Amino acid sequence: MAAARSPRTRSAWLALLLAIPPMLAMLYVGRWRRALGYLTVFLLMFAAYLGGGFAGLPVFTLDFSFTVGCVVITLLGMGDAWRIARGQRERFDGGWYSCWPFLLGLPLVLITVTFLTFTYLVGPFRIPATSMEPTLLRGDFLLAWKWPYRNYGTYGIPITSDLQPDPAALPARGDIVLFRFTGDPGIVYIKRVIGLPGDRVVIDRGVLTVNAQAASRRPTGKHLHDVEIHEETLDGRRYHVLGGSAQRGVSVSMTVPPGHYFVLGDNRNASNDSRHWGFLPQTHLVGRPLWIWWSVGEDGRVRRDRLGMPVR
């Protein structure tokens, strides 16, 4: 005669530990509807966070409120999980989602998918300086497409190096690119491509010339930091620049070697670019910025007019 199988039970202490986040603890104690409820609350809180940004609330207030809300919901979830699990110390009948393979596999799958996505497909980047003003402002957060460039990595840690990007994804004159800085591969820079392999780039007395064709400039009548913004046209591409074509006293006359690019910041008077450290190797390209998904001004408020703006 086969021995009777011991009934399944649930540990209140384990439920308490799993309640960070509460959704996992609710699955552990067999309450999938409550798990969805907690997930919905977190999503609504995040939507309120974004809505507060659109409403012009200071980011510090939003961060503080969101953090407090997460702590409160987590504590409530811990108490809820403890209470339910205490009633399941003798016997527990739960669905397949309460089994350990699923409970352990779900976070692992989510972490793996997130890591692979940010490493190989797309990546979030923050603009910490003013070198790309007026196109990109300090405090802009970008989403960039990384896959075709084959220079993969995340959190400042390169995973691959010296791989040639997909030829179909190579930048054109006027494109903005993200790349690993030649002096420190752990730092990602963002600049605008001015010279392609074989181009002759000359900057003389404030005039930018590529292959004997001067880039045209016209004033826009707008100012940033009391400096007039100009519209520059290079190879049919129009974009805005701040200041002169070169820093005072900086002149350039270079021919871009094969497999390299000449890049400049749009803030021509405050950019550490090819004028100072030379050419960008093609193998250092990381990605192409797509759009601005978040932007915080110097006053700590969200710049609503920049959210969703494509980067060109």
Side-chain angles (χ1 to χ4, degrees):
M1 181 177 177
R5 187 171 62 179
S6 299
R8 296 171 64 193
T9 60
R10 282 297 180 258
S11 166
W13 286 107
L14 191 52
L16 193 67
L17 293 175
L18 289 175
I20 308 174
M23 294 80 73
L24 196 61
M26 291 301 107
L27 294 176
Y28 171 71
V29 298
R31 299 293 196 270
W32 67 268
R33 290 185 178 87
R34 285 178 179 261
L36 289 179
Y38 280 105
L39 178 60
T40 301
V41 170
F42 275 109
L43 293 177
L44 290 176
M45 289 172 51
F46 185 67
Y49 177 90
L50 296 179
F54 276 102
L57 295 177
V59 172
F60 175 80
T61 301
L62 296 174
D63 290 344
F64 180 78
S65 301
F66 184 73
T67 301
V68 170
C70 289
V71 171
V72 170
I73 295 301
T74 299
L75 291 176
L76 290 175
M78 293 173 71
D80 201 12
W82 173 273
R83 178 186 59 81
I84 295 173
R86 280 179 63 86
Q88 298 170 336
R89 289 182 297 180
E90 300 296 332
R91 184 173 183 84
F92 166 72
D93 294 316
W96 57 269
Y97 50 84
S98 63
C99 297
W100 279 111
F102 181 81
L103 293 174
L104 295 176
L106 179 62
L108 182 61
V109 168
L110 293 177
I111 292 173
T112 301
V113 169
T114 302
F115 176 79
L116 293 178
T117 299
F118 285 165
T119 299
Y120 295 101
L121 297 181
V122 297
F125 296 90
R126 180 178 66 89
I127 303 299
T130 62
S131 64
M132 281 299 292
E133 289 182 343
T135 306
L136 297 172
L137 306 181
R138 187 203 304 263
D140 283 346
F141 290 77
L142 316 176
L143 191 68
W145 179 236
K146 300 170 64 175
W147 174 254
Y149 299 90
R150 299 171 183 167
N151 196 347
Y152 306 124
T154 188
Y155 300 109
I157 302 174
I159 294 178
T160 60
S161 61
D162 297 328
L163 296 180
Q164 292 293 335
D166 182 353
L170 293 178
R173 294 187 195 91
D175 285 352
I176 297 177
V177 295
L178 290 143
F179 57 92
R180 300 199 181 278
F181 181 47
T182 55
D184 185 351
I187 300 177
V188 176
Y189 273 23
I190 182 168
K191 304 292 178 186
R192 191 179 297 276
V193 173
I194 299 298
L196 303 179
D199 285 350
R200 183 69 178 177
V201 179
V202 176
I203 300 176
D204 183 31
R205 288 175 292 183
V207 178
L208 169 65
T209 302
V210 180
N211 297 330
Q213 296 293 320
S216 64
R217 292 165 61 90
R218 70 171 185 86
T220 64
K222 300 178 181 179
H223 292 75
L224 182 64
H225 309 310
D226 297 325
V227 180
E228 187 169 21
I229 299 173
H230 286 75
E231 181 186 78
E232 186 171 272
T233 303
L234 177 66
D235 201 19
R237 296 288 298 276
R238 297 179 180 179
Y239 48 87
H240 290 154
V241 297
L242 195 64
S245 292
Q247 290 180 314
R248 292 181 178 89
V250 177
S251 297
V252 170
S253 181
M254 300 179 174
T255 298
V256 184
H260 291 75
Y261 297 93
F262 185 93
V263 295
L264 291 177
D266 286 349
N267 187 348
R268 299 292 167 78
N269 289 343
S271 175
N272 183 25
D273 48 40
S274 289
R275 294 170 294 178
H276 305 284
W277 44 260
F279 302 108
L280 163 65
Q282 188 170 280
T283 54
H284 282 217
L285 291 172
V286 169
R288 176 173 55 88
L290 299 174
W291 62 78
I292 299 170
W293 63 272
W294 196 245
S295 182
V296 180
E298 299 291 341
D299 59 356
R301 295 183 181 274
V302 176
R303 293 183 286 233
R304 294 173 292 176
D305 58 321
R306 298 187 64 78
L307 302 186
M309 179 184 296
V311 179
R312 298 191 179 93

